[in-house]
Amino acid sequence: MPVSKQNYVNGEWVSSDTGETFDVKNPANPSETVAKYQQSSRDDAADAVAASVAAQDEWANTPGPERGRILHQAGTTLAGRKDELTTILVEEEGKARPEAAGEVQRAIDIFHYFAGKASDLGGTVKGASGRDTTLYTRKEPVGVAALITPWNYPIAIPAWKLAPALAAGNSAVIKPASAAPGVVLAITEALDEAGLPDGVFNVVTGPGSSVGNEFITSEGTDVVSFTGSGQVGEMVYDQATDAGKRVQTEMGGKNPTLVTDSADPAKAAEIVATGGFGTTGQSCTACSRAVVHEDVYDEFVDELVDAAEAIDIGPGLDHEMGPQVSANELESTLEYIDIARDEGATVAAGGGKPTGEAVETGHFVEPTVLTDVDNDDTIACEEVFGPVVAVIKVSDFDEGLHVANDVEYGLSASVVTDDHTEAKQFIDKAEAGVVKVNEKTTGLELHVPFGGFKRSSSETWREQGDEGLEFYTIEKTVYDNY
């Protein structure tokens, strides 16, 4: 019998006033219900906001080192439950165990990182024009943070939003993605055990149309942080800014890897395969376009096809690549492959659902390589949240750079080259918030800023590192005359 999970409001585990729940299914075995969660209402969300508002002043006045101690203890508690949380993540979201374990470790590291940062928050002393005056700045929390997080990194992304918000002295409410909310509730349990005061952090599961909308538009919330699709993110941005809130949105990507004629095709294919097929392609930074010089194109394609066909597909607990998270995501991926075929692309590898005992049930799709793709084809322009790499042939570096930039997104981009001049030109001219040389488009350090250009981001505030803290603080200038 699946366990029914509750919301967490004002330090207590409570059921929704709707009396309704929703099921989370195992994407590797959709007949298996992993857990039941609250199908919450707008009133449930309003109660959570009210609790955060009531708790905010006390938390803001808690010394930074004490806030940091609680965050550090929460991270340590998560570390003690790492194997359990890895299994929850695999069973709800579907990714392979090594990937899930890495993501859980990322969340642990984030809590420990921002635990230290909580002690460093302060301001700067400046020289005053007049005598007998101390002139300085101080950083203060903005207020109540509304966090709306996606299913594809269901513990890492909530951690990198929540930890800096709490470190800076904000209270917070969160609506985790309905496809995989279990690990957010585990974070909540860890914070509760660590002694986080009641009301400082509240979790409500349910639809974005009720819970998310209330968090975004409520007079009680002051900042909104959203990660998800471009269409929804743009609506969130409009709603939040119309309500006068500080907002950051991180959205989609159509991330290129440019392979130059000086690159080793085998090494380049390995980089693209890791970035394109890892996490079943369900990452906003996944490589979905390989822009390849004509001199190495054929050899690169052969190597990439070999890499795709060698991937072991099946349930994430014991296979290399797990399923897509839902039937809708699988259907969308297969539809994009069909559109690519119709527009003239060649399916060089994959292109459908795999066969075999391990994949008889579940939302599995083959790692897919598409060749003969033109830069204006649908598959080269629109985000495909699945393990699909479109290979585009170019005649020189300048054409490759143009193709890499010629999309409405600008999240992550990489170049594979042995030419230092080309690498430097790519760094200078790539229209992306994250640029990598001889490395996959996926993978982020936790202490440097993350965010995109163009339609990938609101381009307002960055996440992670010191910049992540900046979003959750506001600066006050003080003239102290004595």
Side-chain angles (χ1 to χ4, degrees):
M1 184 81 176
V3 176
S4 183
K5 305 285 188 176
Q6 294 178 299
N7 294 330
Y8 183 80
V9 178
N10 203 24
E12 296 185 356
W13 296 98
V14 297
S15 297
S16 166
D17 66 2
T18 67
E20 298 177 357
T21 62
F22 64 90
D23 295 344
V24 169
K25 305 286 189 178
N26 183 340
N29 181 13
S31 64
E32 176 192 346
T33 298
V34 179
K36 295 177 178 289
Y37 296 91
Q38 301 301 308
Q39 185 78 344
S40 304
S41 68
R42 200 174 188 106
D43 288 341
D44 294 314
D47 290 344
V49 172
S52 277
V53 170
Q56 205 280 314
D57 282 348
E58 178 187 351
W59 183 242
N61 290 324
T62 300
E66 174 63 14
R67 297 198 299 264
R69 185 199 65 76
I70 291 173
L71 292 178
H72 191 275
Q73 182 56 51
T76 301
T77 299
L78 292 175
R81 298 178 61 188
K82 182 177 178 180
D83 288 345
E84 174 195 353
L85 301 187
T86 297
T87 299
I88 292 172
L89 200 159
V90 172
E91 290 180 343
E92 290 195 349
E93 196 270 350
K95 65 180 53 161
R97 180 184 284 277
E99 296 169 340
E103 184 183 340
V104 174
Q105 186 61 52
R106 174 61 168 256
I108 295 164
D109 293 343
I110 287 169
F111 271 94
H112 286 163
Y113 173 80
F114 282 107
K117 286 291 183 181
S119 298
D120 291 337
L121 284 170
T124 57
V125 177
K126 301 290 186 178
S129 303
R131 300 176 184 273
D132 301 330
T133 299
T134 302
L135 178 63
Y136 63 95
T137 66
R138 53 182 288 172
K139 292 183 183 295
E140 298 182 353
V142 181
V144 177
L147 313 177
I148 301 173
T149 58
W151 52 260
N152 62 323
Y153 285 94
I155 190 168
I157 291 179
W160 84 43
K161 294 181 187 293
L162 177 61
L166 295 179
N170 300 272
S171 57
V173 293
I174 189 169
K175 191 204 89 64
S178 294
V183 281
V184 168
L185 297 184
I187 288 176
T188 310
E189 292 165 352
L191 286 166
D192 183 70
E193 291 175 21
L196 188 72
D198 293 350
V200 172
F201 179 49
N202 301 276
V203 183
V204 181
T205 59
S209 57
S210 55
V211 177
N213 190 267
E214 177 64 22
F215 285 173
I216 295 162
T217 59
S218 169
E219 291 184 358
T221 57
D222 302 288
V223 300
V224 175
S225 181
F226 168 89
T227 299
S229 71
Q231 182 179 10
V232 176
E234 286 160 6
M235 290 190 295
V236 168
Y237 182 81
D238 289 342
Q239 286 180 314
T241 53
D242 286 349
K245 302 180 192 297
R246 181 181 293 196
V247 60
Q248 63 179 186
T249 59
E250 294 300 336
M251 298 174 284
K254 193 64 185 171
N255 311 295
T257 295
L258 174 58
V259 180
T260 72
D261 59 345
S262 67
D264 175 357
K267 182 63 176 177
E270 179 186 349
I271 289 171
V272 169
T274 304
F277 303 139
T279 65
T280 320
Q282 297 178 136
S283 171
C284 55
T285 56
C287 176
S288 61
R289 295 181 297 141
V291 183
V292 184
H293 193 284
E294 60 188 8
D295 289 354
V296 295
Y297 179 90
D298 290 340
E299 188 176 351
F300 170 86
V301 169
D302 289 343
E303 294 282 354
L304 185 61
V305 166
D306 288 346
E309 293 178 343
I311 293 173
D312 176 37
I313 308 169
L317 289 175
D318 49 14
H319 291 271
E320 185 181 359
M321 191 180 92
Q324 297 214 247
V325 74
S326 67
N328 286 341
E329 289 295 329
L330 173 60
E331 181 181 351
S332 174
T333 298
L334 294 174
E335 182 178 347
Y336 270 114
I337 294 170
D338 286 341
I339 290 171
R341 281 194 186 100
D342 292 342
E343 292 182 352
T346 299
V347 178
K353 300 179 68 175
T355 58
E357 185 177 350
V359 292
E360 285 180 344
T361 62
H363 311 307
F364 295 99
V365 64
E366 295 173 311
T368 298
V369 178
L370 299 171
T371 59
D372 302 315
V373 175
D374 291 330
N375 190 37
D376 57 356
D377 287 351
T378 302
I379 200 69
C381 299
E382 297 184 12
E383 184 176 34
V384 182
F385 224 56
V388 179
V389 176
V391 188
I392 304 170
K393 184 188 294 186
V394 294
S395 60
D396 57 31
F397 176 83
D398 289 338
E399 182 187 2
L401 182 61
H402 168 75
V403 169
N405 287 334
D406 192 25
V407 288
E408 60 185 0
Y409 298 102
L411 188 54
S412 182
S414 71
V415 62
V416 185
T417 182
D418 281 343
D419 185 319
H420 183 72
T421 299
E422 288 179 342
K424 186 64 170 64
Q425 288 178 335
F426 190 83
I427 292 167
D428 290 345
K429 296 179 181 179
E431 297 171 358
V434 177
V435 180
K436 298 186 174 186
V437 177
N438 296 327
E439 189 178 342
K440 63 186 185 296
T441 56
T442 52
L444 306 164
E445 300 279 358
L446 62 84
H447 58 290
V448 293
F450 171 66
F453 292 176
K454 299 187 283 190
R455 201 183 173 203
S456 289
S457 168
S458 57
E459 297 185 338
T460 46
W461 305 83
R462 292 308 196 215
E463 297 192 271
Q464 303 195 125
D466 291 334
E467 285 75 7
L469 277 171
E470 290 294 326
F471 176 65
Y472 295 105
T473 60
I474 193 163
E475 202 154 30
K476 178 182 288 182
T477 302
V478 180
Y479 294 78
D480 183 5
N481 297 306
Y482 54 90

